[in-house]
């Protein structure tokens, strides 16, 4: 059996295994990142023309590209529809970017922690992952400059708005500072924003790509967190120097994104109806966030520290007595509670113990308190066993 | 700008450019491979449950996997639903296979000619493409054995049923012989069958993967040629040793295939309604094939040789006086007629001049004669110019 060299880096996905276990009836899951079923909008299909069943353009549907470009311009991103590529969910942006940039040992720059599935595909292609520590308002700027002085990364990958997993939202000052540094060092920015619209305090800082003057960039988003993930419709917007390469890579990956989902997304993007739905989503998730915060205060105050997320879908807990949280999984699942260990969100998991990512959007509120109580018990017992 | 090494092999797609030119109003196009608009079936969406809007499994919808496995077993492919992976169009199978097998300079074995988009993605990943000449009933077996004796390809990629571009359907004898050779040399088979159901003479030879005893295999199909390409729903079925790797690669590529298209495909696969639709498709395309054959006899008898395709969507013409057919494109488009040059379907285009791929399914029958007449004139003029 002669597989490619990269397959030796194809890890078993811990997420897959945890999510599979979390599907078991009776399990209270804080593990996934699924939108709440109750908030999936009712969508209509009756007006969809049969012609969308035919092959389409690799770029995506022209009207959808126009609508996405208009939305991005409203956020300050300087772009035309010709820079928009519709992708099969924003995960595909990461696949295309990996193909565009990463050979074996190519240096790239990431936040620590960063999005697990991004880390997986960048590592699959052989990236040498350099990291910058994440702080409450964005990356440590001294260390970012130091990394840029010492390395020549092919790109930097950032999730500046309600990052998965840390829930961090970059401050205005750090957005400006990061943009200035990337311009200074000429490093391409990949900015991933699945959670932008899920803001609970009304904050809406403009994307970092809109603050760049020289550096190349890819901005990527999705309708998965705000409309229907099952459509598998995301998009990227790229600086004109990168777009033609990304388009060809998209074509060779899957010809084009399904047109059924694109048509449905177009019924929403830029409409009053979508704004109303987003408002309802924010209200719904804010209530769940608040309830989760109360539950955490009750059960985790002595065990962990955390910041209250102002958006997104996750709490990121830091244990006061660090331990490898992957070792908690077995006991947690035995107690019918699932969570996501923090270690896999770092390129060097073993050096970064003691974090838990907890999803607050999906759990049945009636079981929230019991779930957190059981999880706290699992942590307490493990720490007692370590101390013994 | 530091792109990956593979991007240097990311060719401008001739197909993209020709298809774009073929979109011009008034152009008579034999270039693409689009299903006839008139034969896109009317599909219903009213019964689709809202729950398919949620994230789904990377493997695909369980009921669809069961249905696809049942269809494959009926064709003689020994498989369970657990070996079925739903993909975002069968092009994605090629992307996943490239990731699984191809490093720079990895040897792979292909038919010559072979499917252009397969060639592109295999070369993008750096494959060293070894070829076996295609004959009217399948590959030259002496040369296939010789290649297998001299090389150790990571896999062989075959399109045994109405190949794009050559329209060749392997005979029973060659299917058996190929399977025996792959078992003997232990070479993995990737068998691509988008056109299987588009048969005009009722022939339905079982897949080569069903004739293997030992070799690993990937069998891939799609609903794009028989239902709606805009759904972007294809599938692969793999031997159990390969499946777990392909599943992880699928997850890192785009998490999962859109569930809307999967739901629609499930309304058809294995139903009486689908069989009826396939019958209508075959009748419709057979009539177009016959009309095309008449047109070719009238305009190309002195210029080219060809076999009458018993299925699929293409005629493959071999010019009696070979010339590089890429040089005909400009004059053809100036005469408002588009076709696909044969050279790009070979890993070494310059060494394989003198073929044209002509699609017979999409052109308006009222314009068929005029289109072929103009194309023949372009060929005649170029040959006269060469002779002068």
């Amino acid at each position: 059996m002669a597989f490619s060299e990269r397959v030796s880096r194809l890890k078993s996905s811990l997420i897959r295994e945890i999510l599979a276990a979390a599907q078991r009836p009776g399990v209270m899951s804080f593990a996934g990142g699924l939108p709440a079923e109750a908030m999936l909008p009712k969508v209509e299909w009756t007006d969809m023309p049969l012609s969308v069943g035919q092959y389409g353009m690799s770029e995506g549907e022209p009207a959808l590209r126009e609508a996405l470009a208009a939305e991005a311009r409203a956020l300050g991103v300087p772009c035309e529809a010709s820079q928009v590529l519709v992708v099969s969910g924003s995960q595909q942006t990461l696949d295309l970017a990996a193909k565009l940039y990463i050979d074996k040992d190519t240096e790239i720059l990431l936040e620590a922690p960063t999005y697990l599935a991004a880390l997986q595909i960048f590592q699959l292609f052989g990236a040498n992952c350099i990291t910058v520590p994440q702080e409450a308002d964005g990356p440590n700027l001294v260390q970012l400059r130091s990394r840029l002085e010492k390395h020549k990364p092919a790109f930097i990958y950032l999730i500046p708005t309600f990052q998965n997993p840390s829930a961090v939202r970059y401050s205005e000052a750090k957005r400006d500072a990061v943009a200035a540094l990337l311009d200074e060092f000429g490093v391409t920015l990949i900015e991933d924003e699945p959670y932008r619209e899920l803001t609970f305090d009304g904050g809406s800082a403009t994307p970092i790509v809109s603050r760049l003057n020289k550096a190349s960039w890819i901005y990527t988003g999705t309708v998965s967190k705000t409309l229907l993930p099952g459509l598998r419709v995301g998009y990227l917007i790229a600086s004109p120097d990168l777009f033609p390469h990304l388009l060809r890579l998209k074509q060779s990956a899957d010809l084009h994104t399904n047109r059924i989902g694109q048509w449905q997304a177009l019924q929403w993007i830029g409409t009053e109806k979508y704004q109303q739905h987003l408002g309802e989503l924010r209200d719904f998730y804010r209530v769940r966030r608040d309830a989760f915060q109360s539950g955490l205060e009750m059960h985790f105050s002595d065990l962990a520290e955390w910041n209250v997320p102002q958006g997104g879908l996750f709490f990121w807990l830091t244990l006061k007595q660090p331990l490898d949280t992957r070792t908690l999984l077995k006991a947690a699942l035995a107690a019918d509670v699932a969570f996501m260990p923090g270690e896999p969100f770092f390129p060097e998991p073993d050096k970064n113990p003691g974090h838990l990512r907890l999803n607050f959007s999906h759990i049945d509120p009636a079981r929230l308190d019991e779930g957190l109580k059981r999880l706290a018990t699992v942590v307490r017992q493990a720490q007692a066993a370590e101390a013994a």
Side-chain angles (χ1 to χ4, degrees), chain A:
Chain A
M1 195 72 64
F3 293 139
S4 66
E5 185 262 345
R6 85 180 61 76
V7 170
S8 65
R9 296 183 298 267
L10 188 58
K11 297 174 190 168
S12 161
S13 169
L14 188 65
I15 282 203
R16 274 187 63 77
E17 288 162 27
I18 296 169
L19 292 184
Q23 297 288 324
R24 244 176 36 214
V27 170
M28 291 162 281
S29 179
F30 309 119
L34 278 69
E37 302 273 342
M39 292 307 288
L40 298 180
K42 285 215 168 55
V43 296
E44 288 291 331
W45 297 98
T46 41
D47 295 336
M48 185 167 62
L50 187 55
S51 61
V52 303
Q54 185 57 281
Y55 280 110
M57 299 170 69
S58 296
E59 292 88 338
E61 298 298 297
L64 181 59
R65 297 172 76 205
E66 291 285 354
L68 291 166
E71 292 283 296
R73 282 194 299 268
L75 286 178
V77 179
C79 69
E80 302 297 325
S82 61
Q83 292 166 255
V84 177
L85 180 63
V86 181
V87 294
S88 303
S90 61
Q91 178 72 24
Q92 189 176 51
T93 299
L94 307 180
D95 181 67
L96 302 181
K99 287 170 175 164
L100 182 58
Y101 284 109
I102 303 176
D103 292 316
K104 189 160 183 329
D105 299 326
T106 296
E107 287 185 332
I108 64 172
L109 200 46
L110 307 169
E111 301 154 330
T114 188
Y115 175 50
L116 176 54
L119 198 54
Q120 284 177 332
I121 189 146
F122 296 155
Q123 289 181 329
L124 173 68
F125 276 81
N128 178 3
C129 296
I130 317 292
T131 59
V132 178
Q134 188 82 300
E135 298 173 343
D137 61 345
N140 180 306
L141 293 175
V142 173
Q143 297 210 34
L144 176 56
R145 171 173 285 280
S146 155
R147 299 288 185 283
L148 291 170
E149 283 169 348
K150 275 187 210 137
H151 303 276
K152 179 72 186 155
F155 63 78
I156 185 168
Y157 171 73
L158 303 176
I159 313 163
T161 307
F162 314 129
Q163 195 222 35
N164 175 1
S166 71
V168 164
R169 174 174 53 187
Y170 288 23
S171 65
E172 286 285 342
K174 284 212 169 165
R175 285 168 191 256
D176 282 339
V178 167
L181 278 168
L182 299 182
D183 274 340
E184 179 183 341
F185 288 91
V187 169
T188 297
L189 170 60
I190 301 176
E191 183 169 15
D192 191 357
E193 292 229 304
Y195 304 105
R196 162 168 287 278
E197 297 294 343
L198 300 184
T199 173
F200 307 140
D201 63 1
S204 177
T206 59
I208 296 177
V209 297
S210 70
R211 302 164 195 245
L212 294 172
N213 290 314
K214 294 189 304 189
S216 300
W217 53 271
I218 300 170
Y219 180 79
T220 186
T222 178
V223 303
S224 292
K225 308 302 179 188
T226 51
L227 196 55
L228 296 174
L231 301 178
R232 305 312 301 132
V233 173
Y235 61 92
L236 68 82
I237 309 177
S239 51
D241 53 328
L242 304 185
F243 188 86
H245 304 292
L246 291 163
L247 173 58
R248 286 177 203 155
L249 289 166
K250 164 67 179 171
Q251 189 189 27
S252 77
D254 62 4
L255 302 188
H256 64 81
T257 296
N258 87 87
R259 297 179 72 191
I260 317 297
Q262 289 191 70
W263 180 85
Q264 187 60 252
L266 183 58
Q267 308 313 303
W268 295 79
I269 305 288
T271 66
E272 190 61 39
K273 176 178 68 169
Y274 194 38
Q275 283 310 316
Q276 188 185 330
H277 171 64
L278 290 174
E280 290 165 6
L281 261 187
R282 290 176 196 125
D283 291 344
F284 181 91
Y285 285 137
R286 190 188 299 108
V287 168
R288 292 217 164 173
R289 189 270 318 260
D290 290 343
F292 209 92
Q293 168 67 10
S294 300
L296 283 175
E297 282 173 352
M298 173 139 7
H299 298 293
F300 274 87
S301 290
D302 57 328
L303 293 173
E305 294 175 333
W306 65 89
N307 292 315
V308 181
Q310 297 304 320
L313 300 174
F314 305 106
F315 278 78
W316 179 246
L317 271 56
T318 303
L319 294 178
K320 293 178 182 177
Q321 292 179 45
L323 54 76
D324 188 328
T325 65
R326 293 171 293 190
T327 64
L328 303 176
L329 269 175
K330 202 173 163 187
L333 288 170
D336 278 340
V337 58
F339 73 99
M340 194 62 69
E343 291 80 5
F345 294 89
F346 296 86
E348 298 184 300
D350 296 343
K351 292 187 184 167
N352 292 277
H355 301 278
L356 296 84
R357 192 197 73 175
L358 302 183
N359 168 260
F360 62 80
S361 65
H362 196 65
I363 191 153
D364 177 356
R367 307 190 68 196
L368 168 62
D369 188 71
E370 178 64 20
L372 288 178
K373 186 174 152 190
R374 290 193 196 181
L375 184 59
T377 302
V378 168
V379 174
R380 243 181 282 274
Q381 287 175 342
Q383 291 183 335
E386 277 216 339

